[in-house]
Amino acid sequence: MPAVRVDGIEVAYDRVGQGPPLVLAHGATTDARLFRPQVEDLADEFTVVAWDEPGAGRSSDVPPSFVLADYARCLAAVIEDVGLGPAHVLGLSWGGTVVLELYRHHPELVRTLLLVDTYAGWKGSLPAATVRQRVEGAERMLAVPDEEFAPTVPGLFAGRPPAEAVRLLSVMSADTRPRSMRTQLAIMAETDQRDLLPEITVPTLLLWGELDARSPVDLVARPLLEAIPEATLVVLPGTGHLSNIEAPEPFNRTVREFCRARSRA
């Protein structure tokens, strides 16, 4: 298991395959295992790197003072540790917000951006009332005793989720750390990255589930498309928020074609 240390925080990641680097940043309450369908399929053409962000999986806990720029700094350290130059960087949901912040502070490490069912922060993409509802729901979840803590997020799938996806999410959910959730919740509720979007100069893929109830296409994806100069929107029919595991074949094909076309120097 590769890992890099950033100010005493150990950040673990998986690295599989050979070729141009493709770095994958997962969402909240998950870890690198979320991207198993992508790691298995895309490693024939890319060096696929899936991290466990600080506070998730095999990585160290997040300090109380952790902010969004710290997540971005840790992700930058992973890309530098891989040592293959600027990467295609994909972020799903909360991971997309981290990836946008990576671009803000370390644009030289980013060859392309792939933003999947994500947000320019909740404050930057959702109505204030929706943000309040999400914060209140998460706070109720976090208020239970540790032994009863079982994070669940509604609206992840458009249809009946694949059985293997349910098992995987259950395992990752059981490993979620309340401190990590609190940190992410506070950050997402106050993050507004709309100022960054017009400054993005790399090719950007917006990859969305048509029926994403968490980050709806019209509410979130289309404003991103209008704001990011070199953005392209691809909508996967009949798919929800976790499009990478609900529809892995079209998801992987879209990612492969986008990155392949932009991997040539």
Side-chain angles (χ1 to χ4, degrees):
M1 178 196 71
V4 61
R5 295 191 71 83
V6 183
D7 295 336
I9 299 170
E10 184 169 85
V11 183
Y13 63 92
D14 296 324
R15 174 178 176 168
V16 181
Q18 293 184 341
L22 170 61
V23 176
L24 310 175
H26 59 82
T29 76
T30 64
D31 54 49
R33 290 172 287 182
L34 181 71
F35 289 115
R36 280 180 179 170
Q38 287 65 57
V39 172
E40 293 171 357
D41 184 63
L42 296 172
D44 65 329
E45 188 169 352
F46 302 95
T47 300
V48 184
V49 176
W51 83 331
D52 287 336
E53 70 176 14
R58 300 152 296 180
S59 295
S60 301
D61 284 334
V62 289
S65 60
F66 225 56
V67 297
L68 185 57
D70 294 318
Y71 285 98
R73 184 162 50 92
C74 290
L75 185 55
V78 168
I79 297 173
E80 291 170 341
D81 195 55
V82 171
L84 295 177
H88 304 290
V89 188
L90 182 153
L92 188 152
S93 193
W94 148 259
T97 302
V98 174
V99 163
L100 281 171
E101 200 67 13
L102 168 76
Y103 184 83
R104 183 193 299 277
H105 296 284
H106 302 279
E108 75 283 357
L109 297 178
V110 180
R111 179 183 290 270
T112 67
L113 287 171
L114 298 90
L115 305 177
V116 182
D117 297 285
T118 187
Y119 318 87
W122 282 353
K123 189 174 182 179
S125 290
L126 300 175
T130 301
V131 176
R132 286 195 299 272
Q133 291 170 358
R134 293 192 180 188
V135 170
E136 290 168 359
E139 288 176 345
R140 287 193 296 271
M141 181 192 306
L142 289 163
V144 302
D146 288 348
E147 63 272 13
E148 298 176 17
F149 179 67
T152 56
V153 178
L156 295 181
F157 298 98
R160 182 185 296 275
E164 177 58 30
V166 172
R167 287 191 291 270
L168 178 60
L169 289 172
S170 296
V171 170
M172 290 189 291
S173 179
D175 291 340
T176 298
R177 306 172 206 174
R179 180 189 293 178
S180 297
M181 278 199 66
R182 288 189 176 93
T183 300
Q184 293 167 352
L185 176 66
I187 291 172
M188 282 296 278
E190 294 301 323
T191 294
D192 183 348
Q193 296 167 313
R194 286 176 291 183
D195 66 305
L196 171 64
L197 304 180
E199 306 301 319
I200 296 174
T201 60
V202 297
T204 301
L205 174 65
L206 307 173
L207 184 52
W208 241 259
E210 177 192 20
L211 304 179
D212 184 350
R214 298 285 302 173
S215 178
V217 173
D218 288 340
L219 179 63
V220 182
R222 297 201 184 280
L224 292 177
L225 179 65
E226 294 174 4
I228 299 173
E230 293 192 58
T232 301
L233 173 62
V234 175
V235 178
L236 299 177
T239 304
H241 191 62
L242 292 185
S243 54
N244 73 305
I245 57 176
E246 190 168 13
E249 291 184 4
F251 184 99
N252 293 349
R253 183 172 62 251
T254 303
V255 170
R256 182 187 296 275
E257 292 173 355
F258 177 85
C259 294
R260 175 189 289 162
R262 293 157 183 86
S263 291
R264 303 175 184 91

